[in-house]
């Protein structure tokens, strides 16, 4: 069945450091891939998405590229800020199904 | 502004009582979902509905019930049969259901605490 595996946390970085959060997936068909962000006590917000192989999703300085050959969708940001501290979830959905599959989340803390 | 509202933000319940969590969306989305989130963990699907008057069990439906009488509303009842109901509950929706890869949008969540 479909599944998402993402990097274990927590991750702690200094401000302006480079961020990578790894995400790999298993899917039976051609999924769409997503990154969501959750701030403390809030719901999930869509950060970026990609719907087909080699697509790059980007938003607020974050980027992720849909790599079919490695079944990956790693999240990157060149220079993190304290305000990026949150939990990040990788997710997928397929047009052959009716559910979303989420990773377990990666907690990021950015220190000044 | 379109979106998903969940009420209340915080809910306290005594053991043995049923409680209903509200979820309303004005996005005109067909599909709606309920998830449970425990501290430090990912999301687990409780129930989902692709269309009015129809819903399916997710991975952890035991002790929960839902209804979908209107397109915009998908309330979740946590019954006394749910053994460990204290958690953060998230409602979500997508524009279309089966056969689509539409983005899932989330409400702000309800934190339920059983005393």
């Amino acid at each position: 069945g479909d599944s998402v595996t993402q990097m274990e946390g927590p991750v702690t970085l200094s401000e302006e450091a480079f961020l990578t959060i790894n995400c790999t997936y298993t899917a039976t068909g051609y999924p769409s891939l997503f990154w969501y962000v959750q701030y403390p006590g809030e719901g999930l917000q869509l950060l970026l998405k990609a719907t087909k192989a080699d697509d790059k999703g980007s938003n607020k300085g974050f980027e992720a590229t849909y790599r079919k050959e490695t079944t990956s969708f790693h999240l990157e940001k060149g220079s993190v800020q304290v305000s990026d501290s949150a939990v990040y979830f990788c997710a997928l959905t397929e047009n052959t199904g009716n559910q979303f599959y989420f990773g377990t989340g990666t907690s990021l803390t950015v220190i000044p | 502004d379109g979106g998903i509202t969940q009420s209340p933000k915080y809910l306290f319940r005594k053991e043995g009582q049923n409680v209903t969590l509200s979820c309303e969306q004005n996005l005109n989305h067909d599909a709606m979902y309920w998830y449970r989130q425990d501290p430090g963990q990912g999301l687990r699907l409780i129930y989902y509905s692709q269309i009015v008057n129809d819903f399916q069990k997710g991975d952890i439906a035991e002790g929960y019930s839902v209804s979908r009488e209107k397109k915009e509303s998908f309330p979740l009842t946590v019954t006394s049969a749910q053994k460990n109901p204290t958690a953060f509950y998230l409602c979500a929706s997508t524009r279309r259901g089966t056969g689509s890869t539409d983005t899932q949008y989330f409400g702000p969540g309800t934190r339920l605490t059983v005393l």
Side-chain angles (χ1 to χ4, degrees):
Chain A
D2 291 9
S3 66
V4 174
T5 302
Q6 65 180 100
M7 180 173 144
E8 293 275 336
V11 174
T12 302
L13 294 174
S14 297
E15 205 164 22
E16 299 183 3
F18 184 84
L19 169 71
T20 300
I21 301 178
N22 290 338
C23 171
T24 56
Y25 67 90
T26 302
T28 52
Y30 302 94
S32 288
L33 302 173
F34 304 81
W35 276 101
Y36 285 86
V37 59
Q38 184 180 35
Y39 298 100
E42 297 183 10
L44 277 67
Q45 301 174 24
L46 177 68
L47 182 59
L48 53 85
K49 65 185 278 190
T51 57
K52 61 183 188 297
D54 300 325
D55 269 2
K56 178 186 282 188
S58 61
N59 185 27
K60 299 180 182 178
F62 291 89
E63 292 183 340
T65 301
Y66 188 144
R67 301 281 187 208
K68 192 168 186 298
E69 63 275 14
T70 54
T71 62
S72 65
F73 192 54
H74 305 321
L75 182 68
E76 297 182 336
K77 186 174 186 184
S79 175
V80 294
Q81 306 301 312
V82 172
S83 57
D84 293 327
S85 298
V87 179
Y88 293 82
F89 290 91
C90 185
L92 74 82
T93 189
E94 293 203 69
N95 60 4
T96 55
N98 49 24
Q99 291 190 31
F100 267 63
Y101 297 87
F102 289 87
T104 53
T106 301
S107 175
L108 170 67
T109 300
V110 180
I111 54 177
Chain B
D1 284 341
I4 301 173
T5 57
Q6 292 186 243
S7 61
K9 179 90 173 153
Y10 299 95
L11 190 56
F12 297 89
R13 185 194 97 176
K14 292 183 180 178
E15 272 194 57
Q17 290 180 338
N18 292 356
V19 64
T20 298
L21 282 60
S22 167
C23 177
E24 304 278 332
Q25 53 97 359
N26 61 2
L27 300 166
N28 199 31
H29 283 181
D30 286 336
M32 297 185 74
Y33 306 78
W34 274 106
Y35 293 93
R36 171 182 171 136
Q37 187 178 28
D38 293 287
Q41 298 190 27
L43 281 66
R44 291 187 288 169
L45 182 64
I46 304 172
Y47 268 98
Y48 62 99
S49 168
Q50 303 290 312
I51 196 169
V52 173
N53 291 324
D54 188 43
F55 47 83
Q56 289 81 40
K57 293 181 179 180
D59 301 319
I60 56 164
E62 186 174 349
Y64 299 98
S65 66
V66 294
S67 63
R68 186 90 186 274
E69 297 176 2
K70 298 186 296 182
K71 186 175 184 178
E72 57 271 23
S73 178
F74 191 41
L76 173 74
T77 296
V78 184
T79 75
S80 56
Q82 168 48 234
K83 303 245 184 292
N84 186 20
T86 294
F88 190 51
Y89 290 87
L90 288 161
C91 180
S93 70
T94 56
R95 187 164 62 89
R96 297 168 295 171
T98 303
S100 82
T101 56
D102 292 338
T103 299
Q104 195 160 92
Y105 294 92
F106 285 81
T110 292
R111 185 166 299 282
L112 173 65
T113 302
V114 174
L115 304 172

